[in-house]
Amino acid sequence: MFSTADLIPLRPFLGSVREAETAKLILFGCPFDGTCSYRPGARFGPAAVREVSDALETYCPVLKADLEEVPFFDAGDLNMPPGDVRGSLDMAYRMAAAVYSNRQIPAAIGGEHLISLPLVRAALESEPDLVIVHFDAHFDLRNQYLGVELSHATVLRRIVDLFKPSRILHVGQRSGVREEFTETELQANFYPATTEPDWISKWIGDRPVYVTVDLDVLDPSIFPGTGTPEPGGVSFTTLQNWIAGLATCRWVGWDVVELSPTYDPTGVSSIVAAKIVRTMVLASLSGCR
Ligand code: MN
Ligand code: MN
């Protein structure tokens, strides 16, 4: 069982079981925004998602599934030290590795996107054949951002350092430097938001998949609560259907990142994020029902 020494206990996400031992999936928060390039605040994401989760129903009519049918445990937030990028990433890695050693699925709420790097590293050690689906307005494939190699703007580049770009599918990107759009050594699979939704699950096939959702893939009109809003994004319904379409796949881990709740005084962005987390829990555990 993972160590609870590093965790801050909080009111759990809607539908969490009471005992970690009985769960198939361990949800945890990564309240880290140390490298945000424009507006910080993603560290407040996990607490906001939990707080508003009570406003949701446990039942999802799109997946015809209920949170009460799937055993997941919300372990709280990792107590990430502000200002310590490597220490924070290492904490996320150790948490995910401990969850894998217990034959459970780790699932993280960010936090900024850089937290995906240690989570993917742990996932690769558990499932060397995995593929990644990356929902985002941005590719995050820069080699450096302002001279820094570890940044939320470089996270997919650091992941490409770990394995082949052909094993990553980028979905929804609409902003970046020219090379991110054109260099196939960096990104071999790019899926603009306009084509058929079941193409994603067909691309995955029977390979194990890690899914990373940068919520700025959504249009800022429905999701303004994020650090780098990018006009021209997809609707909530489109993103929910993309994720629900992966319910038949074999998930090995996932994260939902880049909610910065304080930029949205209406609070709707937090509810959007919580509903995406609900969809992710249900889709990733659909084999358990
Ligand atoms: Mn982004
Ligand atoms: Mn990103």
Side-chain angles (χ1 to χ4, degrees):
M1 188 45 51
F2 57 87
S3 164
T4 54
D6 290 335
L7 294 161
I8 307 167
L10 289 169
R11 184 172 66 182
F13 192 87
L14 176 74
S16 166
V17 297
R18 291 176 185 276
E19 304 285 337
E21 287 77 5
T22 61
K24 295 272 195 287
L25 181 146
I26 304 294
L27 188 67
F28 56 96
C30 295
F32 173 72
D33 58 11
T35 79
C36 281
S37 53
Y38 182 41
R39 315 191 294 191
R43 74 178 67 177
F44 304 114
V49 162
R50 290 193 183 85
E51 185 183 340
V52 304
S53 69
D54 275 343
L56 304 177
E57 304 288 353
T58 55
Y59 182 68
C60 171
V62 172
L63 280 162
K64 299 183 176 60
D66 198 296
L67 287 177
E68 302 198 334
E69 301 167 338
V70 295
F72 77 98
F73 177 74
D74 183 355
D77 284 357
L78 292 168
N79 194 6
M80 292 178 149
D84 184 356
V85 175
R86 290 183 187 277
S88 295
L89 299 185
D90 186 55
M91 195 172 267
Y93 170 81
R94 285 188 283 114
M95 180 70 183
V99 173
Y100 283 122
S101 71
N102 205 37
R103 298 175 173 274
Q104 295 163 311
I105 296 173
I109 306 172
E112 58 147 272
H113 208 165
L114 187 57
I115 63 144
S116 299
L117 176 61
L119 302 175
V120 166
R121 183 173 288 141
L124 265 176
E125 288 169 7
S126 177
E127 291 276 0
D129 298 327
L130 74 81
V131 295
I132 294 174
V133 174
H134 170 219
F135 298 104
D136 200 329
H138 314 92
F139 288 102
D140 297 344
L141 282 167
R142 284 172 164 90
N143 190 38
Q144 294 183 341
Y145 187 81
L146 299 179
V148 175
E149 291 196 347
L150 284 177
S151 162
H152 79 149
T154 67
V155 58
L156 266 290
R157 182 62 168 266
R158 295 289 83 78
I159 288 172
V160 166
D161 293 343
L162 301 176
F163 62 77
K164 290 194 183 100
S166 60
R167 287 162 59 187
I168 304 171
L169 176 61
H170 302 272
V171 186
Q173 282 72 16
R174 56 191 183 273
S175 179
V177 296
R178 183 189 300 267
E179 292 71 27
E180 292 179 293
F181 282 91
T182 57
E183 284 189 13
T184 52
E185 316 87 77
L186 281 180
Q187 56 93 356
N189 308 291
F190 171 36
Y191 177 79
T194 49
T195 32
E196 291 299 310
D198 66 349
W199 198 80
I200 304 174
S201 58
K202 284 179 181 162
W203 180 83
I204 297 168
D206 56 6
R207 298 178 293 183
V209 64
Y210 185 97
V211 181
T212 178
V213 179
D214 181 336
L215 290 162
D216 68 25
V217 72
L218 293 163
D219 192 78
S221 60
I222 50 162
F223 190 76
T226 193
T228 45
E230 192 64 53
V234 300
S235 70
F236 174 83
T237 305
T238 295
L239 179 59
Q240 188 182 39
N241 287 341
W242 279 341
I243 296 165
L246 306 184
T248 55
C249 299
R250 185 158 74 84
W251 296 56
V252 298
W254 55 261
D255 59 66
V256 174
V257 299
E258 298 285 356
L259 167 66
S260 277
T262 53
Y263 297 116
D264 182 359
T266 71
V268 170
S269 296
S270 299
I271 294 175
V272 165
K275 201 162 175 180
I276 291 297
V277 168
R278 186 186 77 181
T279 309
M280 295 285 277
V281 170
L282 292 171
S284 61
L285 290 178
S286 66
C288 296
R289 291 189 284 119

